[in-house]
Amino acid sequence: MTAAPPGQYPFAEGFQLRVVALALVDRLFYARHERELDPAYFTAPYAGDLVRVVAEFHAAHRAVPSRELFVELVADAAKSRGLKPAVADGWRAAAEKVAAVPASDVGYVREKLLQWTRKQVLSVTAMRLASMYEDADRTGAGPDVDEIQRVMTDAVALCADRQGGYLD
């Protein structure tokens, strides 16, 4: 992994395309972890655009497309958005790479993505708590223990999946 700004994946392009494939192969994953698949997190060329196509389909149908349909949807999206031929070809090539990812790869990808998500949640929580203590110190008021507890409880909830297991 490479260094990346907070809120962006530190993963290489090939791994980011595998993250998109994860959304297609594990049909429940997208529904449960939609916020971790924010197109803004992707830095690899076309990957964020591909996730946006999945998100649009999911919003309309409450399901993710099959791999074959995904490639068609990407081609249609590129055409409807009036992309230049070179960009449309890039979208299509990336979509074909995503569709070709073997299902056996997704377990590893899921674990790495959720590990990254957990680190992001902990980092943001630490910054919020530090800010709260600095504000309390600056104003002379003691820290709001109830607010601190709420922030920490929210962080634990974000790190837990829907079955109560933790994302790490």
Side-chain angles (χ1 to χ4, degrees), residues 19-42:
V19 171
V20 179
L22 171 63
L24 299 176
V25 174
D26 184 342
R27 296 184 179 268
L28 292 177
F29 187 84
Y30 185 84
R32 289 181 180 155
H33 301 285
E34 188 174 351
R35 68 177 171 250
E36 289 89 10
L37 296 170
D38 186 329
Y41 293 163
F42 290 84

Side-chain angles (χ1 to χ4, degrees), residues 70-145:
F70 172 70
V71 174
E72 291 177 29
L73 290 170
V74 168
D76 291 346
K79 191 181 298 182
S80 71
R81 290 179 175 133
L83 299 179
K84 293 180 180 179
V87 175
D89 290 343
W91 274 35
R92 194 170 16 268
E96 289 170 356
K97 285 181 186 176
V98 167
V101 170
S104 61
D105 284 2
V106 298
Y108 176 75
V109 172
R110 179 186 307 109
E111 292 306 315
K112 286 296 178 189
L113 180 62
L114 295 179
Q115 184 180 56
W116 175 83
T117 300
R118 180 177 172 270
K119 287 179 182 178
Q120 291 295 303
V121 168
L122 294 176
S123 174
V124 168
T125 300
M127 289 188 285
R128 281 188 70 193
L129 292 173
S131 175
M132 291 169 72
Y133 276 103
E134 287 173 0
D135 289 347
D137 190 45
R138 187 177 68 257
T139 62
D144 183 348
V145 177

